[in-house]
Amino acid sequence: MKRYLARLVAAALCCGGCTPQPSTERIVGETMGTTYDVTVTRSPDGIRRSDLESTIDAVLADINRHLSTYDPSSDISRFNVNPSIDWIPVSRVLLDAVMQSAQVSLATDGAFDITVGPIVKAWGFGSAAADTADPPDAEQIERLRLAAGHDKLVARIDPPALRKTVSALQIDVDGIAPGIAVDRIAERFEALGIRDYLVELGGEVRARGLSPADRSWRVAVEAPAAGERRPFALLELDGFAVSTSGDYRDFRETAGRRVSHTIDPRTAAPVTHRLTSVTVVHASTAMADAFSTALMVLGPDEGMEAARRLRIAALFIERPPGEGAFIESQTPEFASFRRPLP
């Protein structure tokens, strides 16, 4: 779940020190427990700043109304408290989120799973985590595993509905919802005739067209170092999205051992590999969001194998065994987006 992974904020290098042109509009705000930063250049005639703001607000309100686990009246919250194992009608927004999540779950053998929230919480991570430093025991883990699993959730397209095969099942789409929100904002912009924009929400970035510097948007991927913020790689995007998942900002030490907050849904336990971040570039922000999480779970070897098989543009960064430099590897697809750092 992306909420439980430290986001590597991809800093947009849109100007490189230039002064934004008068036609540039930048809109920032807060949503989903994080922030958003939207830049639009060269808006069509008749499109005002207020039109951009209302478009963004409408999308975010709709996403929260259906996908927020913090709102007890949301579609997903009502589904979670419903113990029925019969079909439960849901909104098209929630169904689409579940269907997109299922694509990634199936493609990665369950490495991405929207039902593992209670397991992550039991390990002491997440905003609603248990207030304890003690790891869950085997009995507790087994009990949670019986009430989780992407294969225990069934979807029906028409009319939209979901069905639990175990009544205790709960879902949390925070690992894909920010990407969905970014995609929907971009879709609304396209409908307005806007062709030059960058949308960032919670570290998920999608860009199209030209920046205020009259070139394709450039986005910096942060180095996975806990004590500093510096660029590790530079990407050039036009019509694509980028998302990074990592574990270097959210972990804890237990009995002298590093416990990652990246939980493998297949084992219900923290991962033990040395992979510290994964960056994915994709045409869909939602897919970039979910796949970066899944590949982070899979680790450097299994993850790279999956990325190559699925032809995903991905960058893997591993912690060095000692004090050396980070170890990186990338797919051929990722190399096509990468540019030299200035």
Side-chain angles (χ1 to χ4, degrees):
M1 305 301 292
K2 197 61 168 287
R3 190 176 75 192
Y4 308 117
L5 296 176
R7 293 184 188 281
L8 309 181
V9 178
L13 302 180
C14 61
C15 298
C18 72
T19 301
Q21 299 302 309
S23 60
T24 298
E25 294 285 358
R26 184 183 179 197
I27 300 168
V28 299
E30 297 182 358
T31 188
M32 300 182 187
T34 185
T35 61
Y36 63 86
D37 192 334
V38 178
T39 300
V40 175
T41 61
R42 304 167 190 83
S43 295
D45 291 341
I47 299 297
R48 300 165 298 180
R49 179 183 178 90
S50 59
D51 298 320
L52 303 176
E53 292 173 333
S54 61
T55 296
I56 295 168
D57 290 345
V59 169
L60 297 178
D62 192 52
I63 293 292
N64 279 308
R65 182 165 58 251
H66 296 292
L67 305 183
S68 173
T69 54
Y70 295 96
D71 181 356
S73 66
S74 71
D75 201 20
I76 194 169
S77 293
R78 288 185 281 108
F79 173 81
N80 281 340
V81 299
N82 191 332
S84 174
I85 57 173
D86 294 325
W87 288 108
I88 300 173
V90 298
S91 66
R92 183 67 61 180
V93 175
L94 177 54
L95 178 68
D96 287 348
V98 169
M99 296 291 285
Q100 286 181 287
S101 300
Q103 290 180 44
V104 181
S105 297
L106 293 173
T108 59
D109 296 323
F112 184 79
D113 192 334
I114 61 174
T115 74
V116 298
I119 297 174
V120 176
K121 176 182 175 182
W123 279 98
F125 296 108
S127 58
D131 186 18
T132 178
D134 296 327
D137 57 32
E139 182 180 348
Q140 183 182 4
I141 286 295
E142 184 59 25
R143 184 173 68 253
L144 290 170
R145 289 183 66 177
L146 291 175
H150 70 97
D151 56 342
K152 296 182 175 70
L153 180 66
V154 186
R156 184 180 70 194
I157 297 176
D158 192 20
L162 298 174
R163 184 170 64 84
K164 308 174 184 182
T165 61
V166 291
S167 62
L169 186 80
Q170 295 188 4
I171 60 175
D172 184 331
V173 295
D174 284 359
I176 197 170
I180 292 173
V182 171
D183 284 337
R184 294 196 171 220
I185 291 171
E187 289 165 7
R188 297 286 181 89
F189 282 177
E190 296 283 345
L192 292 172
I194 298 168
R195 300 292 183 264
D196 302 286
Y197 57 82
L198 182 143
V199 181
E200 182 271 331
L201 192 158
E204 318 306 329
V205 177
R206 177 166 168 167
R208 181 182 172 182
L210 300 178
S211 75
D214 282 321
R215 67 184 183 197
S216 295
W217 298 90
R218 293 190 171 187
V219 175
V221 179
E222 191 176 73
E228 61 179 314
R229 289 185 179 275
R230 60 180 173 84
F232 184 89
L234 183 64
L235 306 177
E236 191 168 85
L237 303 177
D238 183 0
F240 286 89
V242 59
S243 176
T244 300
S245 289
D247 73 347
Y248 66 94
R249 292 197 188 279
D250 191 2
F251 63 91
R252 68 168 184 263
E253 299 285 344
T254 300
R257 184 172 65 93
R258 177 189 174 105
V259 179
S260 171
H261 73 163
T262 302
I263 307 299
D264 189 336
R266 302 167 302 175
T267 63
V271 299
T272 57
H273 54 64
R274 302 192 64 85
L275 187 61
T276 190
S277 77
V278 177
T279 297
V280 168
V281 178
H282 200 283
S284 160
T285 321
M287 290 292 100
D289 199 354
F291 271 118
S292 64
T293 299
L295 297 178
M296 183 69 199
V297 167
L298 290 173
D301 299 326
E302 193 179 356
M304 177 58 78
E305 181 181 345
R308 288 184 178 277
R309 171 173 52 84
L310 298 169
R311 302 187 70 178
I312 294 172
L315 169 69
F316 295 76
I317 305 177
E318 297 177 60
R319 290 184 297 275
E323 298 297 324
F326 291 112
I327 302 168
E328 67 163 285
S329 57
Q330 64 184 18
T331 61
E333 291 79 8
F334 190 87
S336 67
F337 295 99
R338 197 164 181 178
R339 301 292 181 266
L341 283 168

